[in-house]
Amino acid sequence: MMDLPRLLLIADEPRERPGALEAAVTAGAPFVQIRDKNMDDETVLVRFESVKAPWICINSRPSMARKLGIGLHLPAAHEAVPREGIPLIGRSAHDEEEVRRAVAEGVDYLIVGTVFPSASKPGRAALGLDGLARLTALAAPLPVFAIGGITPERVAPVLATSAHGVAVCSAVLDVADP
């Protein structure tokens, strides 16, 4: 099993303050997922080149992950992707069925949520800490990153569920000083 960092920063340019990603990486963000869904490949490539995090993955673009030799993150509904040429594959999961599917595919990590109510996923029912603990246990031994409504005050209770770490976007990229 890979020794992944405990903080996964999700870069989603339309939702972040200008310059926030670069500031967060400079401050030491160890693992970055580039999730800019509406950008063309060329724009995403420029964005990737500005990120010098130790761990990096790109959302939903297997050919780009292979070309750049970086990780790939797949949304829950995305079809499985052959691993060849991709050093790290993660997947999002929201329920038991999605966790089981991801485990069977042999992914390297999961992002599980929405744990708490989140402005980025309005209307989605929150799992809560009990739901996160249940899905984390089901995914074991895969590292699970909790997502959704994660604030600094909620990190310790999240980690107490046996989640490996947290995945955040606005908690870092939408603040005055990332």
Side-chain angles (χ1 to χ4, degrees):
M1 180 157 15
M2 295 181 190
D3 189 22
L4 294 171
R6 295 173 69 101
L7 173 66
L8 193 167
L9 179 60
I10 299 176
D12 197 355
E13 194 268 339
R15 296 181 49 223
E16 64 195 53
R17 294 169 61 102
L21 175 59
E22 293 77 10
V25 170
T26 299
F31 187 5
V32 174
Q33 177 195 140
I34 297 176
R35 184 178 70 179
D36 300 313
K37 299 174 186 176
N38 297 318
M39 289 184 178
D40 60 47
D41 283 356
E42 186 175 318
T43 306
V44 169
L45 183 58
V46 169
R47 190 151 161 80
F48 161 75
E49 289 172 348
S50 73
V51 177
K52 302 299 179 211
W55 292 83
I56 190 163
C57 63
I58 195 159
N59 194 331
S60 305
R61 298 174 194 241
S63 60
M64 186 173 281
R66 283 188 186 92
K67 177 181 176 183
L68 299 172
I70 62 173
L72 174 66
H73 184 81
L74 299 171
H78 198 285
E79 68 276 356
V81 171
R83 179 171 292 275
E84 59 214 40
I86 302 174
L88 176 71
I89 298 178
R91 182 177 282 284
S92 295
H94 309 96
D95 58 35
E96 290 182 15
E97 181 181 331
E98 291 173 354
V99 168
R100 284 188 187 97
R101 175 182 169 214
V103 169
E105 288 174 4
V107 299
D108 300 301
Y109 71 90
L110 287 172
I111 295 179
V112 171
T114 301
V115 178
F116 302 103
S118 173
S120 67
K121 302 287 183 189
R124 177 169 281 165
L127 293 169
L129 293 172
D130 290 340
L132 174 63
R134 183 174 37 80
L135 295 181
T136 298
L138 185 62
L142 285 179
V144 169
F145 292 88
I147 194 168
I150 305 296
T151 62
E153 301 78 28
R154 290 175 169 164
V155 172
V158 162
L159 296 180
T161 68
S162 295
H164 174 78
V166 295
V168 298
C169 185
S170 60
V172 172
L173 299 176
D174 197 26
V175 297
D177 183 4

